[in-house]
């Protein structure tokens, strides 16, 4: 028996890359990444058949994104990472700001460590 799962379509021997599941109650066909295990009521499809998939009239096709593909970082992600690194590199400045009189502190705040805050219980 081959360890590679094959497309469920008749006469197709290509390796499966996606799993198709029908939700009959909602008239929906869900096409997602290849399931970890072969399920009896699901259909494994190759890349070609998963791209060409159509549903019966009146049904909706839901295509789930493949989570295994690495997402490319956006400019916002890179900027947030750079800002976090810059902030972590300046611990002396943050400590001076926390103890400074010019800072308007939250009356509920008891202590602060980086971006984490310890708040006073509302009962006290």
């Amino acid at each position: 028996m081959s360890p590679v799962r094959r497309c469920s379509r008749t006469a197709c021997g290509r390796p499966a890359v996606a799993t198709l599941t029908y939700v009959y109650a909602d008239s929906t066909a869900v096409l997602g990444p290849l399931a970890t295990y072969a399920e009896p009521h699901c259909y494994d499809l190759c890349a070609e058949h998963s791209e060409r998939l159509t549903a019966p009239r009146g049904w909706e096709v839901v295509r789930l994104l493949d989570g295994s593909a690495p997402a490319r970082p956006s400019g916002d992600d890179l900027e947030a990472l750079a800002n976090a690194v810059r902030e972590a590199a300046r611990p002396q400045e943050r400590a001076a700001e926390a103890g400074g009189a010019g800072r308007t502190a939250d009356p509920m705040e008891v202590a602060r460590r980086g971006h984490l805050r310890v708040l006073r219980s509302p009962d006290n």
Side-chain angles (χ1 to χ4, degrees), residues 6-16 43-46 48-49 52:
R6 301 287 174 191
C7 183
S8 297
R9 295 290 301 258
T10 305
C12 182
R14 290 184 288 260
Y43 302 93
D44 295 335
L45 299 177
C46 65
E48 181 181 341
H49 285 123
R52 294 184 357 205

Side-chain angles (χ1 to χ4, degrees), residues 44-112:
D44 295 335
L45 299 177
C46 65
E48 181 181 341
H49 285 123
S50 64
E51 289 172 8
R52 294 184 357 205
L53 175 75
T54 59
R57 183 174 293 149
W59 282 55
E60 180 181 0
V61 176
V62 176
R63 295 178 186 271
L64 303 175
L65 298 176
D66 184 5
S68 65
R72 296 188 54 106
S74 69
D76 292 339
D77 294 336
L78 295 175
E79 186 175 350
L81 180 60
N83 289 338
V85 169
R86 283 188 206 108
E87 182 180 342
R90 296 184 246 151
Q92 298 84 10
E93 292 177 19
R94 274 190 290 144
E97 287 176 7
R103 182 173 159 255
T104 59
D106 182 359
M108 295 296 291
E109 186 176 317
V110 175
R112 183 181 204 91

